[in-house]
Amino acid sequence: MKTRFVPVILTVAFTACAVQGATREEIRAEVLRQADGVHRKVSLPNPAYGCRELFTAMLAYAYAGTNLTRIAELLPLAEGLQDTDPESRAYGNFRWYLRDAAVADFNAVDFCMQHGALLWTFHKDRLDPATRERFLHVLKLGLHGLIKHRPRETYTNIAILNASDLILLGEALGDAGAVQEGERRLTSFLRTIYDDGIHEFVSPTYYAVNVECLMLLAEICPHERVREMADALLHYFWTDIALNYFAPSQRLGGSHSRTYDYAFGFGGLDHLLVHHGWLAPPKGYRPGVGFAPLYSGWAPPETLRTLNAVYPRLVEQTWGNEPFCARTLYACEDIAIGTSWRKYHGRMDIPLAVDFPAPSRDARQPRVSFIPDGRRDPYGINKISDGKTHSKAFHMDSYWASAQDKGDALAVAVYRERDFVDTTGTLESHLIMPHAIETVWVNDAPLTLAATNAIPLGAAVFLRHGSAALGIRIPWSRGQDATPCTLALVAETNTLNVMRLTLTHSRLPDSPTQHAGVAYRLRAGSKLDDEQFRQFRQAFMAEQIGAVATDDGIALTAAGGRLTIRADAPYTKDPVVSPLPPRTMLALNGMEMGQAALRTLPAIRERLAHNASVTPVPVAADKPTVWEAVNAKLSCVFEVATDDPAASNGRYLWEPEYDGIQMSGTGRAVYALDVAKAGGYTLAGRVLSPTPDDDSFFVRIATEDGRDLLPEEAWHLGVRKEWGWTDLKRGGAKITIPLPQGRVHLILRSREAGTKITQLRLTPPPPADAK
C-alpha cells in the first residue's frame, strides 16, 4: 500500500498542472496572500485570531516552501489554543478563537487537523528540527481530540471531516488504530446515507467541505477500500450536485439546509464548481482557500454534469429516517421551484425557493425564498451570537410543513413561543425576490412599482420573467396580537437588488398568545407566451383554496385536492399531507440514482445481505416472547459481533467503542413485531454493560404509520459485568407498554458506545384470573 501512496501524491501535488478554474500558481498565490494576512493580524497589538486560520497559514507556507520561519512563529499560537489537560473533555481540541475562555466549538480539531495532516505528510522535512518536534506533539494531541470528538453521522460535513482526518492523520503518525477507527466511522456514515440520504442536504457551504475531504481520501489514502468508498461517495455527491444545480441561475436550486446566504444561495461549493468548469469565474474571482485541488486530481465525470441538462427535471430526495425528512425540486429550462417537507436546521434553512434564469453570476440576481423574521432583518444579513463562539445571520425558526406536486406547492409556517429567540419586537414573513424581475402583476393588472405597494390579502401576485411565471397566493395568515395581518410588496432600494413580499404579523411584547403564521400557495409556469400567461393567471386566480384554522390546528387544500396539509396544534408533530413526501434517497424523474452509486461497495452489500435475512418476530399472547437482538434491520453504526461465546448463539449487537473512550452512540436497530393480542406488555433485554459509561440504550415503539406507542425512552441498564436480563423501567417500576394487535416496530438506538445486547423479551399481561 505504501508504495502507491507516495508516488500518487508527488505526481498530483507537485507537478505544474493547470486546473480548469485557476492555475496551480494562482491557487498558490491566493493561499499565500491569505496566509500573509493571518501573519500580519497576529502581529498586531491585542490580536484577534482563530485556530483554523493558523493551521491554514502554516500549510500554505509549507506547501509553497517560502517564509518557513513564519510557521515557527504561528505554531506557539496554535499550541496556546489547544487543550492539554488529560482530564478535560476537550483534551487535544482547540479553542476556536483566542477570545474564547475554553473549547466551545468541538469541531475545531477537525478543521485544524485536516491541514495539520497534510503538512506533516508532505512537508514535515521543511520544518526545522525544533519546530518539527513541537508540531508532532500538537498533532498527537490533536489525534486524541479527533477520537474523543465523535460527531453523529447526521452531522454530515463534520462526520466526513472527522473520519477523513482520523484516516489521514493516523496514517501520517503511524497509528493503525486511529486509521481503523476512521475507516469504521466512514463506513458508518456511508451506511447511514444509504438508508437516509444526506442530512445536511444541498448546502452551498457544507457540500464544499464534504467534497474536499473525499477528494483527499480518494487520491492520497493508501488503503484501497477507503479510496473505493471515497470515490463512490464523490460520485454520489456530484450526482446530487448535478441534479440540483440549476444552470440557468448558476447555483444550487430549490430548498437549502444550513446556508449562510439566504438571498443568493452562493457558498464555498462555488469554488469547486469553478475548478471543475461547471461555473464561469465571476468578475474579480479569487480561488478559495481549499487545498484539495492542490493535493488531488479527482474530477467528476462529464456524464454526471449532463444530468442538469434534463428538463423538466423532478428531483426527489430524503435527508433523514423520518417520513417528512424529504425535499422536492422541479426544474424547467426557465424556472425551478423547490420545497423541504420539513426543516432540518430551522434558523439556517431556506425551506422554499424559486429560481429564475440570471444573465450571469456577476449580475448577482437574488432568489425567491422564504425568510421568517423577528429581528427587522428581512434579508438575513445581520449576525448574532450562536450561543457558543460564532456569530451567524440566523433568521427565526418556525413550524414548517409543505407539499409539492411538480410545479405546484403548498406550505405553512406557524410561529410558536419557543421560536421567538433573539427577536426584537417584530414578526414578519418575507418572500424575497429579485428587484430585476421583469413584471409584477396583482391579479389581472401589471403593478407599477413604488417603494412600498400595499397588496390585498386575498390577491394573487404574479412574477413574470422571460417565458417563466410564478403565481403566489396567501390563503391564510394570522397575527399574534389578534389584529389582521397586512401585506405589502416592498421595493425599496438596497445593495442586494432584492425586493420582498412582506406579511406583517404585528408581534408586540405584550401581545396575546396565539399561533401566528402564514400559508403560501405557489405555482410555477414555464415556456409561456402572452396568451398562455393570461390563461395561467386566470386559472390560478380562479382556483378554490381551502383554509380552515382553529385553536386545534389548520387544514389547507389546493390544486383541486392534489395538495393538502393538516397540521395540529401545538405544532410539534408532522402533518398529514397529500401527496405523501418522497422516500427515495436521490431520484431523477422517479428513477433512483443515489443508492446506485453506493450499493456495489462491500460495506453496503454486507448490510443489505444482513437486513434481507431479518424476519418479523411473532409476539405470543400467552407467554414471553424472546428473540435475538441481531434479528434487526440495522442502520447507522450498530454492528453484529460474534466474538463472545457467552452471548446467545455467540452473537450480540453493539456500537463499537475506541480504546474504552467514552462516546455517545448513534446506532439504530429496527424490529418488526407481529403482536397476536392487544395488551400491556413489558420489555427486557439480556445485556452486557460493564461500566457506567456504556450502560444504556434508547428505545421506542411505534405503529406502522409512525404513531408512538412508547415515545423514545432512555433505557438505563445499570452496570452488568456478565450477561444478564434487565427490565425497561421508569422510577424503579417496569414500564407497561400498550400494544395493539398487528404489526408494530421497536426501534433500539444506542445511547453510549460499548453497550451490548444479545436478546430481547416481551412479556404479555398475566391472565385475568392469575393470582
Side-chain angles (χ1 to χ4, degrees), residues 246 248 309-313 331-336 356-357 467-468 526-527:
F246 187 53
V310 176
Y311 296 111
R313 182 165 79 246
C332 301
E333 293 180 62
D334 51 358
I335 190 170
F356 290 103
S467 60
S526 174
K527 296 295 184 182

Side-chain angles (χ1 to χ4, degrees), residues 223-372:
H223 303 289
E224 185 175 357
R225 58 186 176 274
V226 172
R227 294 197 307 273
E228 185 181 26
M229 282 193 289
D231 182 74
L233 284 167
L234 281 166
H235 276 79
Y236 168 80
F237 272 106
W238 280 100
T239 301
D240 187 331
I241 292 166
L243 292 178
N244 286 293
Y245 185 66
F246 187 53
S249 70
Q250 301 172 58
R251 75 196 94 199
L252 293 174
S255 61
H256 294 173
S257 77
R258 300 203 68 202
T259 180
Y260 292 86
D261 190 347
Y262 308 132
F264 299 100
F266 301 154
L269 181 64
D270 294 346
H271 294 294
L272 290 168
L273 293 171
V274 170
H275 174 67
H276 293 301
W278 289 33
L279 174 65
K283 185 178 179 180
Y285 174 76
R286 283 178 169 171
V289 295
F291 285 86
L294 296 175
Y295 292 90
S296 173
W298 196 97
E302 282 298 306
T303 52
L304 294 182
R305 182 175 179 179
T306 61
L307 293 175
N308 64 63
V310 176
Y311 296 111
R313 182 165 79 246
L314 178 64
V315 181
E316 297 171 302
Q317 61 194 114
T318 56
W319 50 267
N321 58 51
E322 298 293 334
F324 280 77
C325 295
R327 71 182 291 276
T328 298
L329 170 70
Y330 185 68
C332 301
E333 293 180 62
D334 51 358
I335 190 170
I337 180 171
T339 62
S340 301
W341 297 67
R342 88 152 60 144
K343 289 184 177 181
Y344 167 74
H345 191 296
R347 301 181 72 195
M348 294 175 66
D349 283 7
I350 293 295
L352 180 153
V354 179
D355 292 284
F356 290 103
S360 69
R361 177 59 76 91
D362 295 325
R364 291 186 62 79
Q365 178 174 289
R367 321 175 74 207
V368 178
S369 56
F370 169 67
I371 297 181

Side-chain angles (χ1 to χ4, degrees), residues 648-671:
S648 176
N649 296 314
R651 301 190 303 168
Y652 60 89
L653 201 63
W654 77 319
E655 182 173 334
E657 59 185 351
Y658 183 86
D659 281 356
I661 294 175
Q662 182 179 358
M663 296 182 289
S664 61
T666 59
R668 191 173 74 251
V670 180
Y671 303 89

